[in-house]
Every structure is written in structure tokens, then in C-alpha cells.
Amino acid sequence: MPKTPVIDLHCDVLTKSLLIFRKRLTVTPESLKKGNVGAQVFALFVHPKIRKTKNLVFREIAIFQRIMERNQETLKYIIKTQDIERVYKEGKTAAILAVEGGNIIENLDDLRFFANMGILYLTITWNYHNRWADAAFPKIPEHNGLSNEGKKLIMEMERYRILPDVSHCSEKTFYDIIDNTNMPVIASHSNAHKLFNHFRNLKDRQIKEIGKKGGIIGVNFYCGFLNGRKKCTIDDVVEHIKYIADMGGIEIVGIGSDFDGITAVPEGLESPEKYPLLAEKLLKNGFSEGDVSEIFYKNALRVFKKAKKING
Ligand SMILES: [Zn+2]
């Protein structure tokens, strides 16, 4: 069995911990260790319809800090992606923050604050339009893509080397982001529309554009996006990986589990400790060990390195 590390581009541990006290988590230090996870991205998220956004974000940051303090043997908070490999060699999982939803960013000073916390990406919208851009939901646009302020935000993100994340964006927003940044564009937790027709899934052309921008797509493990049913299996994940690799090249495929933010997980891939089983399944489906390590780890590392080099 290949022992390749994994970089998971998205989980919702912090939101779940905030909303559901003492709820059992899927992403735990133990499961990350068992699954050989080299880096785990923790999203900061507040539902756009909830007020007191900043208070809740601070509480999520405090939850993150508490998790880091209590698990110093296995987890290490990093603000530079260059540290991932070093931390992994020390036998720990690198913990990285990200912001899901432009509603959390009220102004460009906020962006500076989060940049200094080392956020990897900003998901420009969640499921509702915000002042920066239109989301994939609702259907009727408010800005017709990025607003003028949204364009400024995208430019400012480039200055801080924060990756623009198009998961949840409308199609028009997607192409506006592509046109307004030199950064690799990522979809941190998204799947293929051709395999299941959901507004959150990416069309073929979008998959190809992410490839052209040197980005990555973290394949999402939610049954609702994989096959639209309440139940799905690890084979559905393999199908989406295969499809995205065929459409955009293997170099754009990554992992964006969405664990702890999703209500139905694939049979056989219920938690991070099952990543070795996913590796095995991929090998049985015609992928080489080298392919698996690209999908699990190397593609993400390459995107992070590329992002650091933009404009100097
Ligand atoms: Zn999401």
C-alpha cells in the first residue's frame, strides 16, 4: 500500500465545533495521523445570514488555537505553505487556515488581518451573493459576476498571495476571477458537473480553465455532489477523480473532503483514516503510485509554490 501523504484542501471542523457542542468530529488528530495527512486546511466560515460575523470568526479562531494547543504532538499550525514538508517530516500534520465566504471580509484591512494569519485561500462566496461577487446560488445575479469592489479584492489577494477559491461561485464570477488574477485559481471542494448535475459542480470548460491557470480542484466527498443521493461509495469519488483528470489533466486533481461540513459521506471513505483505501482504489482503477502521490499531495504543493512566486 502506498504511504503517500495527503493534503486536504477543505474541512469544516471549526464551524461544526462552534455550532454543535461536543458533537463527534470526523477530522480528529488521530484520524489525520492514521490517514497520513501531511496538511489539513481548516475553513473559517459563518453563515451569511447570521449577524455578529466577526464574533463568531474569533470564536472559531479560538477553537482552532485550542485544538493546536491540545495536540502539539501531532498538529502544527503553519502560516507558510513552505513549512508543510518540514512539518510532515517531523511526523506532524500541518494545520492551515482558510476563509470560506467573502461575507467574512468586510474591507481590505480584514484581508490584511487574515493574510497575516496565513490563510491559504479565500472562497469568494458561499451560497449567497455578497458585496464582492455572485454565488452559484441563488440563480438571479446581483452583480453579474464580480462587483467592482470584488475586482479590487481579487487584486489585493494577489498582493498577499491568497489563492482565489471558486467553489460556490457563479459561472460568471468564476470567469471574472480567471480574468482578474495572475494567481493559480483553485476550487477547494468541488466536483464534476458532467457526472452529477448540481449547481455547485464544475462544468467541463471550468475544469479546463482551472488547469490553464495552474490551479487545482479538491474533490469533495459529499454524496449530494457526487451522485445526488443520500448514499454513495468510495467508487463515486474515484469516478470524479478520473473524470477531472481526463478533462483537465492529472496535475489539477486534489482532495477537498469537506469532512465535518457534509451530512452524507461515501461508504468506504468515512473519515481521513480511510485515505489509504482511496489510494488502493485508485491503483485498481489504472492510476500509478506516482499518480496517487500527485493527486494526494504533490499537485497541491506545486500550486502553493507557484502562488508564492507570482509577481516576484
Ligand atoms: Zn463549502
Side-chain angles (χ1 to χ4, degrees), residues 34-95:
K34 283 185 189 158
N36 197 23
V37 176
Q40 176 65 57
V41 179
F42 293 81
L44 296 163
F45 165 78
V46 179
H47 194 289
K49 302 283 180 196
I50 295 179
R51 290 182 185 184
K52 295 190 176 175
T53 306
K54 289 271 176 34
N55 294 16
L56 296 176
V57 170
F58 281 164
R59 283 175 59 192
E60 288 182 8
I61 292 171
I63 289 167
F64 178 77
Q65 290 170 336
R66 192 176 66 215
I67 295 172
M68 293 307 121
E69 280 164 20
R70 289 185 180 168
N71 298 283
Q72 291 178 26
E73 305 295 306
T74 52
L75 298 178
K76 172 100 178 131
Y77 167 42
I78 61 163
I79 58 171
K80 288 183 181 147
T81 50
Q82 296 96 299
D83 292 335
I84 291 173
E85 286 173 287
R86 183 179 52 76
V87 168
Y88 176 69
K89 281 186 191 128
E90 288 169 7
K92 297 180 185 178
T93 301

Side-chain angles (χ1 to χ4, degrees), residues 10 100 126 168 189 200 258:
H10 196 89
E100 178 173 31
W126 186 66
H168 293 280
H189 55 306
R200 272 277 279 107
D258 215 357

